[in-house]
Amino acid sequence: MPDAAETAADWIALAHDAAAAARDYTDAVHAKVAGIIAPGGKVDAALAEREQRLVHGFAWIATTAEALGAVAQWASRAHAAGSYGEVDELALRVGFGEYCAQIAGGVPMSQSEVARPSDFGLAFEAHDFASKGAVARFLASGSTPETRAKFAEILAQGNRPYEGFGDETLDLIRDQFRAFTRDRIAPKAHEWHLADDLIPIEVVEEMADLGVFGVCIAEEYGGLGLGKLAMCLVSEELSRGWICAGSLGTRSEIAGELIGENGTDEQKAKFLPLLADGSILPTAVFTEPDTGSDLASVRTRASPAADGTWRINGAKTWITHAARADLMTVLCRTDPDTPGYGGLSMLLAEKTRGTDEAPFPDPGIAGGEIEVLGYRGMKEYTLGFDDFTVAEDGLLGGAEGQGFKQLMRTFEGARIQTAARAIGVAWNAFDLGLSYALERKQFGKNLLAFPRVSDKLAMMVAELVMARELTYSAARHKDKGERCDIEAGMAKLLGARVAWANADNALQIHGGNGYALEYEISRVLCDARILNIFEGAGEIQAHVIGRGLAASRANSPAA
């Protein structure tokens, strides 16, 4: 229970102090890792690969510290808005207690991999961190059996941590999409999943009418002209009903940003209004069977034909919503003599929308469906191109050799959006777990009465607040026009872990019933698992974060 000795302002002040201490400890880890993989002042790729465990552990520690800072800021905003209550204080205390304990003792990178202070030779520094006044207070009184039990009790009464923005537009967006998801997505999501059906086109059209596909497209092109924070809210709320609904906008987000940031004036005028109103549905065609995350090895070839058009030849895989799509953004090699990223270009390839009878009716393209555990509703495909024709003006930006650079600019937004999807999935898992814990009785009482069950539910929401606020923080950086590749990566890294943990714990609360297909949590578990793979697998994401941070230190004047 909250301590009478401390006021809300006291706990918030302690949170800011503990977050600062976590950053100081992270700086010590930072120095150790940079010294190992950047001994000459520049990151050595071979050393970074050899020391993957240290690099990735550093990324996880830094991510955890950033989450603490983001939640401390959230608590201050909630308090300033007069909306900081007991449920918020308990979320703060439980979350800080757990994450400070992880930093001091070991941050989990997966179920079987833990980044411990001793790995970095920093056992003394970790002990010093744990001894800091604010940190010690959270370790002693933050996440205790009493605070977790009280937190679960208050959550069971329908209370939720503060989610306001102090912005009428953003608050209205959340309300609007929460209602739409409750009425139009959640009641049918499991039925669509079990049937492995495409999400009904009429639902897609309703989403288009709400502006889902044009959230970040400029108003001059028919979009809403809002930022990534608004996009997060839309993605989160839709994914809370079904990840497919939240993910439908991802392809439009990627295509819209690719064209909006890199397209010619003619390309923008042609495609952006149609993307914004949902008249055309795009798909991202980047991955190849043998490349995965190694985009420098892309081999699909695009060559100019005598008539000025482009002809694509090659194979792609894991292409989402490919049959129904009208526009493909295709990463391909236009200069076979230039190895690596330099020979890659992005093509805007229009195609005919497929049907069940003829999923790929155009000449020069064929596709095969990949059956998947979850993430259904759009379907996954392998694609084969055999002299598939792309219009003469289909080269993005009218410039060859820029494809990888153009794609890189979309990674920040895509990863922030993926983190938002993870938050929605994690909330869905919590909702299902809590509902079952309240309804199911064992030994004469409902499951919530058992400490191991209430602990799970309390931690689900405490970690959700951590992941959510880290994601919103990254979105705010993006909306300010600031580079945020590291912050976006951190949000995606933590969000994916929280979504999986919540789904796994919610299924455990269901017991044997959770393993039955008829229960929705079986779907949510499958959906949650993909989040740590796409848009940068967790290991790739951690490597990018760790290397990026180490490089920033190596290049700083004080290094």
Side-chain angles (χ1 to χ4, degrees):
M1 296 176 64
D3 292 358
E6 280 97 359
T7 66
D10 291 332
W11 279 110
I12 294 171
L14 286 169
H16 283 281
D17 289 344
R23 286 192 292 271
D24 289 342
Y25 174 72
T26 301
D27 284 344
V29 179
H30 196 166
K32 281 280 186 177
V33 173
I36 292 170
I37 70 170
K42 182 179 180 180
V43 172
D44 183 310
L47 287 175
E49 183 174 320
R50 189 191 75 186
E51 302 294 341
Q52 259 191 13
R53 200 173 184 286
L54 290 182
V55 174
H56 296 191
F58 167 44
W60 273 107
I61 292 166
T63 296
T64 305
E66 284 299 312
L68 290 173
V71 170
Q73 293 295 331
W74 160 79
S76 291
R77 288 194 300 273
H79 190 260
S83 298
Y84 186 85
E86 187 176 19
V87 68
D88 307 291
E89 184 170 308
L90 288 166
L92 180 79
R93 288 177 61 179
V94 171
F96 263 74
E98 290 292 337
Y99 277 27
C100 284
Q102 288 182 13
I103 291 174
V107 176
M109 299 189 290
S110 71
Q111 291 92 328
S112 58
E113 299 167 290
V114 179
R116 296 183 174 91
S118 57
D119 297 336
F120 305 92
L122 294 173
F124 174 81
E125 288 81 357
H127 181 269
D128 184 59
F129 163 74
S131 301
K132 300 289 186 185
V135 176
R137 191 76 184 93
F138 279 112
L139 292 177
S141 302
S143 181
T144 66
E146 294 76 20
T147 55
R148 294 192 300 271
K150 184 62 177 178
F151 191 28
E153 176 188 332
I154 291 177
L155 292 168
Q157 294 168 359
N159 298 291
R160 298 292 180 268
Y162 178 69
E163 58 185 15
F165 286 93
D167 182 298
E168 185 177 0
T169 298
L170 293 175
D171 291 336
L172 285 173
I173 287 172
R174 185 187 291 283
D175 291 343
Q176 180 183 36
F177 280 94
R178 183 166 293 176
F180 175 79
T181 300
R182 181 189 63 236
D183 296 340
R184 298 292 291 127
I185 303 297
K188 289 287 188 178
H190 202 56
E191 177 184 322
W192 295 329
H193 163 82
L194 291 176
D196 198 10
D197 286 337
L198 287 170
I199 188 169
I201 194 63
E202 59 269 21
V203 176
V204 178
E205 291 168 350
E206 290 177 51
M207 292 170 63
D209 290 341
L210 289 172
V212 169
F213 306 118
V215 173
C216 295
I217 292 176
E219 290 182 272
E220 64 181 296
Y221 295 110
L224 299 180
L226 299 173
K228 302 302 181 185
L229 196 53
M231 177 266 291
C232 282
L233 293 181
V234 172
S235 302
E236 177 187 337
E237 293 301 331
L238 290 171
S239 297
R240 193 166 181 168
W242 190 22
I243 193 174
C244 168
S247 298
L248 269 171
T250 307
R251 268 128 291 282
S252 295
E253 170 74 17
I254 292 172
E257 190 160 3
L258 275 171
I259 297 169
E261 294 290 327
N262 307 287
T264 64
D265 290 341
E266 293 76 16
Q267 288 169 340
K268 293 177 185 179
K270 177 180 179 179
F271 290 114
L272 291 180
L274 299 175
L275 288 170
D277 68 12
S279 296
I280 60 173
L281 299 174
T283 187
V285 185
F286 308 144
T287 306
E288 295 188 359
D290 298 319
T291 61
S293 298
D294 183 14
L295 294 178
S297 298
V298 161
R299 290 184 293 180
T300 295
R301 179 86 167 88
S303 307
D307 61 0
T309 61
W310 294 88
R311 303 298 167 88
I312 302 179
N313 289 276
K316 295 286 187 178
T317 192
W318 293 111
I319 311 305
T320 306
H321 217 197
R324 193 186 258 172
D326 311 287
L327 175 68
M328 300 180 290
T329 52
V330 186
L331 185 67
C332 49
R333 191 166 295 282
T334 54
D335 182 358
D337 297 325
T338 300
Y341 301 122
L344 300 178
S345 300
M346 190 72 68
L347 292 184
L348 305 176
E350 297 178 79
K351 61 179 282 292
T352 302
R353 183 176 297 191
T355 63
D356 290 339
E357 296 74 26
F360 298 97
D362 296 312
I365 183 173
E369 184 181 346
I370 303 171
E371 295 186 356
V372 290
L373 292 170
Y375 196 55
R376 297 176 174 179
M378 293 178 288
K379 297 187 181 290
E380 303 294 324
Y381 295 89
T382 59
L383 295 181
F385 296 100
D386 183 8
D387 275 347
F388 180 78
T389 301
V390 178
E392 183 177 0
D393 61 357
L395 181 65
L396 180 62
E400 289 189 52
Q402 300 299 307
F404 183 74
K405 293 179 181 178
Q406 292 166 342
L407 181 58
M408 283 292 288
R409 297 186 190 112
T410 73
F411 281 177
E412 291 178 349
R415 286 171 178 161
I416 292 169
Q417 204 258 9
T418 300
R421 287 184 282 172
I423 294 164
V425 171
W427 273 120
N428 195 352
F430 168 77
D431 293 338
L432 294 170
L434 176 61
S435 177
Y436 193 84
L438 289 171
E439 294 170 3
R440 180 75 168 178
K441 291 187 180 296
Q442 289 284 286
F443 307 106
K445 46 190 172 182
N446 64 36
L447 295 180
L448 187 67
F450 296 95
R452 288 290 304 282
V453 173
S454 62
D455 272 358
K456 286 178 175 61
L457 293 164
M459 278 309 305
M460 284 186 203
V461 176
E463 285 208 282
L464 258 168
V465 173
M466 291 286 180
R468 184 188 71 186
E469 294 309 315
L470 188 60
T471 301
Y472 292 172
S473 177
R476 290 186 178 98
H477 281 294
K478 184 71 173 174
D479 286 340
K480 291 177 184 176
E482 300 169 353
R483 179 176 176 178
C484 62
D485 53 334
I486 299 296
E487 292 83 355
M490 288 177 169
K492 196 267 183 185
L493 190 69
L494 182 60
R497 190 186 75 184
V498 170
W500 174 248
N502 280 18
D504 190 33
N505 282 317
L507 190 144
Q508 188 72 17
I509 290 170
H510 281 69
N513 284 338
Y515 209 61
L517 289 177
E518 68 181 282
Y519 282 83
E520 291 183 63
I521 190 59
S522 67
R523 177 192 85 244
V524 176
L525 184 83
C526 292
D527 289 345
R529 190 61 188 87
I530 192 62
L531 288 159
N532 201 32
I533 298 174
F534 63 18
E535 297 295 346
E539 293 78 8
I540 295 291
Q541 203 64 69
H543 204 68
V544 170
I545 294 166
R547 275 194 59 172
L549 289 173
S552 69
R553 184 180 186 91
N555 294 330
S556 68

